[in-house]
Amino acid sequence: LKEQLTVYYTDCLEKTVPGGKMTRGLTVVRGIEVLKGRVLTEQEFFDAAVLGWQVEWLQAFFLVADDIMDGSITRRGNPCWYKYPHVTQDNGINDSLFLENLIYKSLRRHLKKHPSYVQFLELFIDTTHQTEIGQHIDTNGTPYAEGKRAPLDLTRFTLDRYRGCVRYKTCYYSFYLSCALALAYCEVPEDSELYVKADAVCMRLGEYFQIQDDYLDAMAPPEVLGKIGTDIEDAKCSWMVCQALQLASEEQKQILVDHYGKHDPEGVEKVKQLYRDLNLEKIYHDYEEEQKVACDELIAAIEPESFQELFKFLLGKIYKRQK
């Protein structure tokens, strides 16, 4: 039995954790290096790597669960974990919980004696809670009633609702968590202004990152993106549909009424053509340049200046990304 479990969960980890850009994990290591202002000792690097991998396990936990909720087919160019014949949805749900549990097992094993151990725990607990709230908002862009989706209500797709969803679903776990873990590891007091400044930049970066995701989900070829986008079929409150609703004529809005949220390839293509007709590609690229300037200004205002390097590293990772 032990051998069976070892083989199964080794396969699970190898298929669900690697394969991405590892930006979240690398940010922890880079953040500690920046804050220390020197090359890390062997022990410091090991600790930083452990924290980085724990963030990547958190990401894997969210993605395995998210793919099941969205009915996704592929992830990072491969089948979603639950789509493997020996896994299925039943195991996939349990495996997502297993991945989450590894974070706390690993923290206890490697960092229990660190002065910031409790703060590490609180950061992971709080971030998981925030992300799960964001996931609920995302999943219920069109709510459920009597066991099935309620009729599409386009009035729910507003930029205000979208920004609230993004803050909780993406900003905290994709950006702030890694920065806060680095600060905590370096024993920066929890009431330090650095956490506030990190939060401000991370919220801006996170919104930019999620809008990129929404644009790429609709417009990037699956072979480039590494997955088949399903935001249109899943009736997501995405940046693309929010923008379309602001710009569309009544006749064009009818295309969304008729086809948004339906698993029909021809209908999905009609929605994408509407996005093209409304010139959302140019609007997106203009937004991207505006966000780059805004992020640069926020980063330049951070003191100490050395801490700016971490956010320049993050911005460099996501600016003009294609997947």
Side-chain angles (χ1 to χ4, degrees), residues 28 32 43 46-55 57-58 98-128 177 180-182 184-185:
V28 181
I32 294 172
Q43 185 61 52
F46 178 85
D47 291 346
V50 166
L51 287 169
W53 277 114
Q54 287 163 352
V55 178
W57 285 337
L58 185 69
F98 173 82
L99 288 164
E100 181 191 23
N101 180 256
L102 284 181
I103 297 165
Y104 301 103
K105 296 273 286 183
S106 175
L107 264 176
R108 187 173 61 190
R109 173 182 290 183
H110 297 293
L111 291 161
K112 189 174 183 179
K113 294 181 180 179
H114 192 279
S116 299
Y117 176 64
V118 172
Q119 191 178 352
F120 297 149
L121 288 173
E122 290 177 341
L123 282 168
F124 277 106
I125 291 167
D126 290 346
T127 302
T128 301
L177 174 61
L181 286 170
Y185 183 82

Side-chain angles (χ1 to χ4, degrees), residues 17-262:
V17 181
K21 295 176 286 296
M22 298 292 174
T23 300
R24 295 166 184 82
L26 291 170
T27 299
V28 181
V29 180
R30 182 65 180 139
I32 294 172
E33 287 176 339
V34 166
L35 289 163
K36 293 285 186 183
R38 55 171 171 75
V39 176
L40 301 183
T41 66
E42 187 175 339
Q43 185 61 52
E44 287 169 342
F45 184 82
F46 178 85
D47 291 346
V50 166
L51 287 169
W53 277 114
Q54 287 163 352
V55 178
E56 293 295 336
W57 285 337
L58 185 69
Q59 158 84 334
F61 155 50
F62 290 147
L63 294 185
V64 170
D66 185 61
D67 286 341
I68 295 170
M69 286 183 262
D70 289 348
S72 299
I73 308 299
T74 58
R75 170 71 66 180
R76 296 168 176 165
N78 293 305
C80 296
W81 174 243
Y82 81 100
K83 281 291 185 181
Y84 283 93
H86 70 296
V87 180
T88 74
Q89 182 173 302
D90 292 349
N91 279 312
I93 293 169
N94 188 61
D95 296 341
S96 71
L97 300 174
F98 173 82
L99 288 164
E100 181 191 23
N101 180 256
L102 284 181
I103 297 165
Y104 301 103
K105 296 273 286 183
S106 175
L107 264 176
R108 187 173 61 190
R109 173 182 290 183
H110 297 293
L111 291 161
K112 189 174 183 179
K113 294 181 180 179
H114 192 279
S116 299
Y117 176 64
V118 172
Q119 191 178 352
F120 297 149
L121 288 173
E122 290 177 341
L123 282 168
F124 277 106
I125 291 167
D126 290 346
T127 302
T128 301
H129 174 75
Q130 290 157 338
T131 308
E132 286 166 351
I133 294 296
Q135 182 67 23
H136 176 84
I137 299 170
D138 183 54
T139 301
N140 291 277
T142 298
Y144 286 87
E146 298 180 0
K148 59 183 179 181
R149 288 279 185 194
L152 184 69
D153 180 3
L154 293 176
T155 63
R156 292 173 66 88
F157 297 158
T158 65
L159 284 172
D160 182 61
R161 180 185 179 89
Y162 176 77
R163 290 193 177 98
C165 176
V166 169
R167 183 177 184 89
Y168 286 98
K169 178 191 169 190
T170 303
C171 298
Y172 288 112
Y173 101 89
S174 290
F175 292 92
Y176 180 73
L177 174 61
S178 298
C179 298
L181 286 170
L183 288 166
Y185 183 82
C186 295
E187 299 180 55
V188 175
E190 290 184 65
D191 59 356
S192 168
E193 191 69 18
L194 280 178
Y195 290 95
V196 178
K197 292 176 180 177
D199 182 275
V201 178
C202 288
M203 294 307 108
R204 175 78 70 166
L205 287 171
E207 182 177 306
Y208 170 32
F209 178 84
Q210 186 60 54
I211 288 172
Q212 282 181 319
D213 240 28
D214 292 354
Y215 171 79
L216 294 170
D217 185 278
M219 310 307 285
E223 60 271 18
V224 175
L225 187 59
K227 65 177 182 178
I228 299 170
T230 61
D231 283 359
I232 294 171
E233 294 94 322
D234 294 336
K236 290 298 179 72
C237 180
S238 80
W239 183 81
M240 298 291 281
V241 76
C242 289
Q243 291 292 329
L245 286 166
Q246 287 190 329
L247 299 168
S249 66
E250 291 305 313
E251 183 180 350
Q252 288 172 319
K253 285 180 183 177
Q254 192 60 44
I255 295 172
L256 295 172
V257 171
D258 292 342
H259 301 292
Y260 202 75
K262 295 178 181 175

